[in-house]
Amino acid sequence: MDNRFVAIMLGPPGAGKGTQAVRVAEHYQVPHISTGDILRDNVARETELGLKAHSFMEGGDLVPDELIIELIADRIGHDDAENGFLLDGFPRTLAQAVSLEDLLREREMPIDVVALLDVEDEEIVRRISSRFLCRECKRDANAGQGTISDVCPHCGGELYQREDDKAETVQNRLEVYRRQTAPLVEYYEGKNLLLKVDGFGRVDEISNRLFKSLERELDPEAG
Ligand code: AMP
């Protein structure tokens, strides 16, 4: 492997992708690119993209592929993405996966690995309903641990619950995942890029499992 690191974090909503993605990106020293975070930031700033994306996000539906592909093409062209990146929440459709390949081919940056966090539906609903995010550091203050304080335990920032984490919307997000995103599992399996990791347990346990699997996959001689 060269010293670039291009990886995708795949998994249903609430699987803990975001929390783990932050850790993996830090470890491999690449930017963590979350399309959900970028979209939420655009919605908050009421940009043209934010105004277009808002209603889809609110209902738990996917934002149209063209908008997302444009967003990603721009983001991976930034200087900080030269040595790779970790994609979180993208691709979410086959069309997005194919467009990503075209973009990466132009940059001669092959995908190293697609990590799938595997979690049961019941656990997903439980985790999403107890999710509280920090406005400052963007981390999940609770991360499925079942305890919550008024401020972020990491940085003291203000906590909030996502608009699309309401029970009605969560069901739709799960259905959208099954219908539109789950086919990517087979797609990346077929390309021999899929690394399935059990996403059940405490955050640190999952991270340990994930890091060990990544090391084994990326540098088989080390372990
Ligand atoms: P997330 O934070 O990844 O759960 O994303 C929140 C919402 O943003 C999703 O429910 C979608 O409405 C939208 N979104 C994020 N990433 C994508 C994507 N790759 N394709 C389409 N919509 C997306």
Side-chain angles (χ1 to χ4, degrees):
M1 189 179 78
D2 58 24
N3 54 10
R4 279 172 163 179
F5 178 77
V6 176
I8 296 171
M9 203 79 164
L10 199 62
K17 286 192 303 295
T19 305
Q20 300 299 337
V22 169
R23 296 181 177 198
V24 173
E26 250 171 41
H27 180 81
Y28 288 95
Q29 298 188 312
V30 290
H32 163 222
I33 301 182
S34 154
T35 42
D37 284 350
I38 297 173
L39 289 169
R40 277 185 290 279
D41 175 58
N42 276 273
V43 170
R45 291 188 291 115
E46 298 185 358
T47 64
E48 202 184 325
L49 170 65
L51 295 174
K52 285 184 189 156
H54 187 222
S55 59
F56 295 102
M57 295 172 74
E58 213 177 18
D61 292 316
L62 295 186
V63 172
D65 285 338
E66 317 80 76
L67 294 177
I68 298 289
I69 291 161
E70 199 180 317
L71 176 166
I72 279 288
D74 172 71
R75 181 61 188 86
I76 67 176
H78 291 194
D79 288 349
D80 68 343
E82 230 170 58
N83 289 322
F85 36 81
L86 177 68
L87 297 173
D88 164 14
F90 176 91
R92 256 177 158 101
T93 62
L94 277 172
Q96 291 179 14
V98 170
S99 297
L100 174 65
E101 265 162 30
D102 293 342
L103 288 168
L104 294 179
R105 199 172 306 116
E106 282 166 23
R107 290 173 173 73
E108 295 182 28
M109 286 176 112
I111 298 170
D112 292 301
V113 66
V114 179
L116 169 71
L117 274 185
D118 219 9
V119 182
E120 308 263 320
D121 280 10
E122 277 168 35
E123 174 68 7
I124 288 171
V125 175
R126 193 187 68 75
R127 283 190 199 175
I128 292 187
S129 55
S130 63
R131 173 151 76 179
F132 284 86
L133 302 176
C134 173
R135 286 200 198 280
E136 303 302 322
C137 71
K138 316 275 186 229
R139 282 192 266 190
D140 179 357
N142 195 15
Q145 311 285 310
T147 52
I148 193 74
S149 63
D150 294 339
V151 293
C152 174
H154 306 294
C155 74
E158 188 195 344
L159 301 180
Y160 72 103
Q161 197 159 25
R162 271 171 50 169
E163 226 179 323
D164 59 352
D165 277 352
K166 290 173 290 185
E168 320 82 84
T169 316
V170 170
Q171 284 308 329
N172 187 41
R173 284 165 64 203
L174 279 172
E175 270 169 45
V176 167
Y177 175 78
R178 278 191 215 105
R179 203 173 52 241
Q180 296 184 267
T181 309
L184 292 179
V185 173
E186 213 174 295
Y187 179 77
Y188 286 122
E189 227 161 15
K191 292 183 177 284
N192 238 339
L193 288 172
L194 197 79
L195 186 68
K196 213 185 256 192
V197 177
D198 181 0
F200 191 78
R202 295 181 62 88
V203 174
D204 288 341
E205 285 167 8
I206 302 167
S207 295
N208 285 340
R209 218 178 282 145
L210 177 60
F211 278 117
K212 279 199 189 118
S213 310
L214 282 170
E215 270 166 33
R216 240 179 278 129
E217 179 78 12
L218 299 173
D219 189 7
E221 299 195 350

